[in-house]
Amino acid sequence: AVVGLTGGATYLTPAAAWSAHVTQPQAAGVSVAIWLLCYLLPHTSAWIATLGLLAASAFLSLYVAAAAAAAVVGFYFFPQAMLLLLAFAAWALFLLAVPKICVFLTEFCTLAYFFPKGGPFGHVVLLCLLIAYDSPVLLLPFSAFLTLLWLYPRVTLAVVALAVCLLLLPLLRSAKARLLLLLESPYGAGTAPDRVRSGEAAVELVLSGAGSGEKGAQTHYDVLNSHRAAPPSELKSCYRRMALLL
């Protein structure tokens, strides 16, 4: 999890908002330092992460921080019981949110636990029968597939997984492009206001109180004579210009 998170953050650094302050080599160095800390001092790094989360939750709400502290103490003294309670709570929330899918997955996992091979295979057989109910011509290829799945489950599942990955590859590329576009401009394109060119106009803009915020309130973007979608470099330029004019 740590390698995936830090690796993803390093990969997305050139398109992220913090790229103006942190370069990709610097992000890679920080990621390597975090990896070494987690590898050499696993317990210390876990406690640092826990204390950081507690501090963040305390900043948000004292009640959330108290609940998080109680959970940490419970996990420290009763790890198995707390994991069971956490799993039951997650299952109950899932049941309330999507009951039909939760019941199906519960039944599937129960059969797979007691019948590791027969339970999943029986569900695949039922799925093939449902698909071939209106198209009997599919019974023959489904029979061959089920035979291969029963005799050579790993090879058959590997071929199916490869086919699914090939089908999902264009979708993943499109999602990556959309994610990079979102990181580049999270607030959209935006429209820059007319540039202030004199000190009197800058003072009038700052003291006017009218802006683009809620109910026409002035925001810090209005004070800088900029807009919310402006990149960091443009905001710095607006700050320097307004500082010189004022």
Side-chain angles (χ1 to χ4, degrees):
V2 174
V3 172
L5 290 175
T6 53
T10 303
Y11 178 74
L12 296 174
T13 293
W18 61 80
S19 59
H21 309 283
V22 181
T23 62
Q24 194 171 31
Q26 292 174 345
V30 173
S31 299
V32 172
I34 294 175
W35 296 350
L36 291 176
L37 178 64
C38 294
Y39 180 76
L40 298 176
L41 302 170
H43 296 287
T44 304
S45 58
W47 277 110
I48 291 174
T50 302
L51 293 176
L53 291 175
L54 287 176
S57 60
F59 179 77
L60 296 175
S61 173
L62 293 178
Y63 295 104
V64 176
V72 170
V73 173
F75 270 107
Y76 184 79
F77 289 102
F78 310 101
Q80 294 182 349
M82 292 298 295
L83 285 176
L84 290 176
L85 287 176
L86 181 61
F88 178 76
W91 177 83
L93 291 176
F94 190 40
L95 180 63
L96 293 175
V98 278
K100 294 182 179 179
I101 298 178
C102 182
V103 170
F104 169 73
L105 291 178
T106 303
E107 175 264 341
F108 177 81
C109 294
T110 303
L111 288 179
Y113 180 79
F114 290 102
F115 308 99
K117 188 175 182 180
F121 182 78
H123 285 80
V124 176
V125 172
L126 290 177
L127 179 62
C128 292
L129 290 177
L130 288 175
I131 295 175
Y133 181 76
D134 294 329
S135 303
V137 70
L138 296 176
L139 287 175
L140 184 60
F142 279 160
S143 300
F145 169 73
L146 292 174
T147 303
L148 292 175
L149 182 62
W150 181 261
L151 296 177
Y152 309 102
R154 295 183 179 179
V155 177
T156 307
L157 290 177
V159 173
V160 172
L162 180 61
V164 171
C165 290
L166 291 177
L167 291 175
L168 293 179
L169 187 59
L171 181 62
L172 294 176
R173 288 177 177 173
S174 176
K176 176 186 174 182
R178 290 178 178 274
L179 179 61
L180 292 178
L181 182 62
L182 178 63
L183 290 175
E184 290 176 358
S185 55
Y187 301 112
T191 303
D194 296 333
R195 180 173 295 186
V196 176
R197 301 185 181 277
S198 64
E200 293 79 3
V203 173
E204 183 180 357
L205 174 68
V206 173
L207 299 179
S208 63
S212 59
E214 295 182 359
K215 299 180 180 180
Q218 196 174 42
T219 65
H220 56 283
Y221 295 105
D222 300 319
V223 174
L224 291 176
N225 190 35
S226 184
H227 56 102
R228 189 177 186 182
S233 58
E234 184 178 343
L235 290 175
K236 290 181 180 179
S237 176
C238 293
Y239 178 82
R240 287 194 294 266
R241 184 172 66 253
M242 291 298 290
L244 291 175
L245 291 175
L246 294 173

